[in-house]
Amino acid sequence: MNLRPLLDALDLQEDAARALADDLRGQIGELQGRLREAETHLEHLAITRKTVTGLADRLPAGSPDLPEHPDYPRILAVFHKATGPLRARDVCEALDHKLLPKNVEGTRAKLKRLVKLGILTEIDAGSFARKQ
């Protein structure tokens, strides 16, 4: 019996299998490199998330939208300059409104609205301050 043709066929299959294995090793090497890059990117994203969430408590909270009336920004400016709580009458004076009951009550209503928006706090009945 002549084994040569059988051995030659085995050699061809071994060469093909060896070539396939070499090609697959190359692909595995490339995929491992890409995997390392992806894992590094994930680590960087995790570090970034940790940094951002760690700093989030230091960032000022976004202020709610003010109602559309020209007095609201002016009222807030008065409170930013104030060193303590203010009454509606004090705010009227600071805004150069005449101290008429309708003006004081209108200002008090605006101050209470700013309390509801979480911008001011009502210290006691009629006394308001910036929220800390």
Side-chain angles (χ1 to χ4, degrees):
M1 180 166 151
N2 188 0
L3 291 176
R4 179 50 55 210
L6 181 59
L7 292 174
D8 288 341
L10 283 173
D11 286 341
L12 287 174
Q13 286 186 6
E14 282 179 344
D15 290 342
R18 196 171 287 111
L20 178 61
D22 289 342
D23 183 49
L24 291 174
R25 278 189 209 94
Q27 288 180 31
I28 288 171
E30 180 186 332
L31 289 173
Q32 285 176 333
R34 290 174 56 192
L35 178 60
R36 276 192 299 277
E37 289 174 9
E39 288 173 338
T40 300
H41 186 64
L42 280 171
E43 287 175 21
H44 291 166
L45 290 172
I47 291 167
T48 302
R49 178 180 298 280
K50 185 175 181 180
T51 303
V52 168
T53 56
L55 294 175
D57 60 342
R58 296 181 191 175
L59 297 174
S63 62
D65 292 332
L66 292 177
E68 290 191 29
H69 189 282
D71 276 352
Y72 285 101
R74 295 176 61 213
I75 290 170
L76 292 181
V78 169
F79 276 94
H80 285 298
K81 292 177 187 174
T83 57
L86 298 173
R87 301 182 76 69
R89 180 181 179 89
D90 303 326
V91 176
C92 273
E93 285 178 334
L95 296 176
D96 293 326
H97 292 318
K98 291 183 182 178
L99 294 179
L100 301 173
K102 70 175 188 169
N103 292 341
V104 175
E105 289 307 313
T107 300
R108 185 181 333 280
K110 289 179 180 86
L111 295 174
K112 288 191 177 277
R113 186 155 189 201
L114 290 172
V115 169
K116 285 182 183 176
L117 290 172
I119 297 171
L120 297 180
T121 184
E122 192 165 5
I123 304 298
D124 55 40
S127 184
F128 300 88
R130 282 187 313 179
K131 206 159 201 178
Q132 299 298 338

